Amino acid sequence: MTQPRPGGVPPRLFNPRSIAIVGASADPLKLSHRPLEYLRHGGYAGEIFVVNARADEVAGLRSYARMADLPAVPDVAFLVVPGAQALQAATECAKLGVGSAVVASTGFAEAGEEGAARQLALTALTREWGIRFVGPNTNGLYATHQRLSLGYNAAHAQVLAEGPVSIVSHSGALFSTLSARMNTGGVGLSKFVAVGNEADLDMLDFFEYLVNDPQTQVILLVLEALRDGTRFLDIAARAQAAGKPVAVLKLGMTQAGAASTNAHSSRLAGSARAYRALLDAAGVAQVSSVEALVAFARLVQSQPPGWQPRGLGLGVLTASGGGGTLIADAAVAQGLEVAALSDAATQALTRIKGSPGLLNPLDVTSVGGTPSSGATAALLAGDGPVDAVVAFLHTLPSAVGRETFARAIGDARRGSGKPHLVIAPGTLPAEQAALLASQDVAVFTDSASAMEALAAFMKAARHRRSRGPADPEVNLSALPAGAAGQARALNEIAAMRLFTEVGIRCVARAIVADAAAAKAFAAQCGTPIVLKGVVDGIEHKSDVGLVQLHLDTPDKVAQAFERIERAMAGLPVPGHVCAQQMMRGELELIVGVVHEAPLGRFLLMGLGGRYAEAIDDVQLLRMPASREAMRAFVLKGTVGRVVTAARWPRASTLEDLVEVLERLQTLTANLGPTLQAMEINPLLIGDAAPVALDALIVLTTEGDHP
């Protein structure tokens, strides 16, 4: 685990008494002139210094040739000099005692080897002098409460509305998009910072700062990559304890970052799945667009005090049947539920309508019309299975009807204490929209982003993060001597010894020296059997002819033994022949543990066998995890749906699988930092307890992993 450098984000970074713009151009058309222009336009009240050796005056301010010429040491310096000069300017700032510097200059790690060396030198200044850096390659920061607009993005040219929402982003360019969306959505900003190349202060430093910032109540992260998954989990837990909801827009959610390893499980894991599992473990909301990210913030702002959802049930209120169907479909697609109304609510609604047959979604036109919308909305919102209400609105023909419906929604929100939001793809008349806003009902015109944000909002609100119990000690005598310090894969015999050590049932097996021993094993265990060539460094044995299946007669066993010996003769490393019982079951799974640097270790489970990678049906769970979390993990995937189906032959399979995951977690803890990956593929399940048929453990040099 990486540690934040002492001191964290300097308190004066977002509240400086004085700022030096280093490299500010006197030409108003140049990019390097904008930070000074925007800073003054934003209303910054502190002292501003300009450092530019080529000008005596910039925009009416005296210009100094060097940092050392300044009449006072500024709290913050903003560097807009070219990259080749930025390191020298940063060094001058450090030696002068400037507390922090925002390095907007490019030409660092993003610009090849020379730039990378320049960035390392910048980082060294922090260690030597104590100065803290934002960037390089950043477009700056913004703090509305301090009237601080320090940057050159188009959004820095605007005076943004104050609010409780703070943003840390790996993409500075998205600031203008985010701020525009926030303005139109009525979401106020507290702070924004683009972290750039993170030579010093990184996203986690700012995340931690915002958790402790009294002006921040909602935290949004636009994330490319994290340096430390464990630290992220710790900060997210503190945000949750502080009552500050967090939403993440993860950029680059592809499989391109999959680990390069011989383990099937590691190739199947991939960075995208690992990030999803890490964010799940953190209990933060996950969204896929800027629109949904801002919608999440708006929903948090309209959250009734003390609201905590019991489940994921929605009440849907509409003035048209089609709108209700659209919302119901969108809810299910996002993993929400259209709540089944209680008998009491159904009976009360029937009395309003005068006839039975009412279901959620509720069309007010079929329940007494608009005049009865107040009673209808109150009954829907007050029903126990309903955790939140979505109203789908179109423009009603009469002003009275529009006002009545809007007041019904607002009254239901106040009366129930549950979130209400309105989706109006065709927009609403200004007076109706204003009335809803005055009642703190969020209105959205984009159905997709609103429903995605609502789902993320509700799931995060239900999250209760818990760590698993301490892992018991395991006797690792089965680990081959010296293996813990070597970068190598344990063959299946050695791996199965370890799995057996922690209580995972493995198939009956034995090393056989010749065909006679193989036939004796078959006679003892019963046919059919399997013969495998076990060779160090060969993990996928079937690819090179080292697996012989369905051996049900002595002659077949002897012939298979000879084929494997011939195949091993052509390999550079000698091996052994292993005989094992051939078993049948209902389903083959892949289970294991993968390491995704620097996010941590994850349990993996999915459909397995020879075609595990082709099937590509796996999911990840960040460790350590509680037994309850493991059970929920199994249930949410394909495997969980199968083993809880009515026709599945063994009622205890779900708990059996949870037990396997617990034992894998125990073994992981005992192997420690040497473990890169381990997998059982296949794990056979059916009408008997799960049994491992093949296994692999990949160890790496100690200290490679946190």
Side-chain angles (χ1 to χ4, degrees), residues 487 595 597 601 673-674 676 700-706:
H595 175 259
R601 289 189 171 85
T674 65
Q676 176 178 310
T700 189
T701 303
E702 196 161 356
D704 280 358
H705 305 318

Side-chain angles (χ1 to χ4, degrees), residues 381-403:
D383 202 21
V386 173
D387 296 291
V389 175
V390 178
F392 185 94
L393 298 190
H394 62 273
T395 302
L396 296 173
S398 81
V400 173
R402 294 194 292 269
E403 181 179 350

Side-chain angles (χ1 to χ4, degrees), residues 424-451:
T427 70
L428 295 174
E431 75 278 3
Q432 190 179 23
L435 180 55
L436 289 164
S438 70
Q439 299 177 100
D440 214 4
V441 175
V443 179
F444 302 96
T445 57
D446 181 0
S447 304
S449 62
M451 293 303 296

Side-chain angles (χ1 to χ4, degrees), residues 182-252:
M182 291 170 75
N183 281 341
T184 58
V187 178
L189 178 72
S190 176
K191 294 174 177 66
F192 171 87
V193 59
V195 295
N197 291 6
E198 301 175 294
D200 174 27
L201 294 168
D202 64 13
M203 174 164 283
L204 294 178
D205 293 321
F206 285 105
F207 185 16
E208 186 170 37
Y209 172 85
L210 294 175
V211 170
N212 299 316
D213 177 32
Q215 294 171 335
T216 298
Q217 298 305 317
V218 184
I219 301 172
L220 307 181
L221 305 177
V222 181
L223 169 65
E224 288 180 354
L226 289 170
R227 291 179 171 177
D228 188 332
T230 300
R231 187 180 172 210
F232 176 80
L233 287 174
D234 290 340
I235 299 170
R238 276 182 269 156
Q240 188 178 82
K244 297 187 178 185
V246 180
V248 175
L249 170 57
K250 174 66 177 72
L251 306 177

Side-chain angles (χ1 to χ4, degrees), residues 365-425:
T365 61
S366 66
V367 195
T370 304
S372 299
S373 58
T376 301
L379 283 168
L380 179 66
D383 202 21
V386 173
D387 296 291
V389 175
V390 178
F392 185 94
L393 298 190
H394 62 273
T395 302
L396 296 173
S398 81
V400 173
R402 294 194 292 269
E403 181 179 350
T404 300
F405 204 176
R407 290 195 183 281
I409 295 169
D411 290 345
R413 177 190 178 278
R414 284 191 299 276
S416 66
K418 298 175 182 178
H420 281 56
L421 65 143
V422 167
I423 295 178

Side-chain angles (χ1 to χ4, degrees), residues 347-363:
Q347 291 168 11
L349 289 165
T350 298
R351 285 194 292 271
I352 297 174
K353 179 184 180 184
S355 61
L358 289 171
L359 295 172
N360 180 27
L362 280 176
D363 181 352

Side-chain angles (χ1 to χ4, degrees), residues 288-302:
S288 62
S289 68
V290 167
E291 295 88 342
L293 191 67
V294 177
F296 173 89
R298 177 67 185 95
L299 286 171
V300 172
Q301 285 183 283
S302 65

Side-chain angles (χ1 to χ4, degrees), residues 3 9 50 110 115 139 262 355 458 691:
Q3 296 293 332
V9 176
V50 173
E110 80 284 357
N139 64 16
N262 286 331
S355 61
M458 293 182 69
V691 57

